[in-house]
Amino acid sequence: MGKIVLVVCDGLGDRPVKALNNKTPLEAARKPSLDYFAKNGITGLMHTINRGVAPGSDTSHLAIFGYDPEKYYFGRGPFEALGAGFELKEGDIAFRGNFAAIDSHKQILDRRAGRPENNETFVKAINGLKINNVTFFVVPGVSHRAAVVMRGKNLSSEVSDSDPHREGLSPLTVKPLNKNKSATLTSNALNKFLEKSRDILTTLPENAQRIKEGKPPANCVLVRGAGIFKKIPLFSERYNLKSACVAGGSLYKGVARSLGMEIIDVVGVTGTAETNLAGKFKTALQLLSTYDFVFVHVKATDVFSHDGDYLGKMKFIEKIDSAISVLKNSGALLVVTGDHSTSCELKEHTADPLPIMISGPGVRMDDVKTFSERACASGAMGHIKGLDLMPELINLLGKTELYGE
Ligand code: ZN
Ligand code: ZN
């Protein structure tokens, strides 16, 4: 049976950059492999959600995998917790969390607590606390990051953030976002937990040591992005495809895990510009012997865009190009696209469509010879939405069911 490799370069699409002779970073990049695939494939443009919608990475990935976010998106927090390796139960409320440094007036000095090398001691000190019949789990992430999970009866994700997203302010009191009892109950327990964890973290010897060394203490937890965990239909059941995920960022691993994909760890894969790109694509190639669908996520294209670093983005695309060449004779369908456009000029996600290409067996090649926003606009795939992608791929595999007789 045919196999699929789906490569999502985060924030791949962009706008023309003056300093690149009005080319986008993708247009300006030297990319013989990507151009080879485009030349031997079919191309088009894709809005992962819809025209006029600038998607987040969570909703756009759900759509690309064929899960309508209107129906299956329950907030960012659960994906972060799953991506960090935590086993969520139906009804758990999860948040993205940060260890931060606050002063004696409860003002935030550093939202990232000086980016500690690891946060296990801090996590351990506050993990498992029980307040008002709610158990709080803290799941360590990279550096200052952690996910916070609330487990108990009748909890709600309709609560606000404690993270003010700025330094110099105090952590916000979490508020219920509707009048339901469960939202009030959830915010009350969460506020108590956040206060108690500040007390515990403040007296931790490790923090006294950090202050002594002139480092910001990790004496506060900030939470945001509440979401409720609900089980959703498995990818394997939906498409009858055994699937695996190669990604660095916890969000992407979390989305994949929520769909039941196998998470494959590769040495040196970090979700940053220094990630082991060669290892990622080599692993993807090897995984094709065991899996039908391999999802590869590359994060740094988006990070460069948020920093406005168009040259960095262009050079990183060139690195992707060189690493992806190992897939040239894989025999699988190769899809390359992004989850949304991120403009280096605006430094944020935009609603601009993304270039997409599919090459491999059964693909009706078009006349497009390069992989870029402009070139793919005249591709034979035309314009698709994120939710169209999986049906297109299932068709290419020859597995589409007959409609009618
Ligand atoms: Zn993204
Ligand atoms: Zn982004």
Side-chain angles (χ1 to χ4, degrees), residues 10-11 57 252 299 302-303 306 340 342 349:
D10 214 284
S57 294
Y252 311 96
K299 177 67 188 168
D302 183 56
V303 180
H306 284 292
H340 48 77
T342 312
H349 299 188

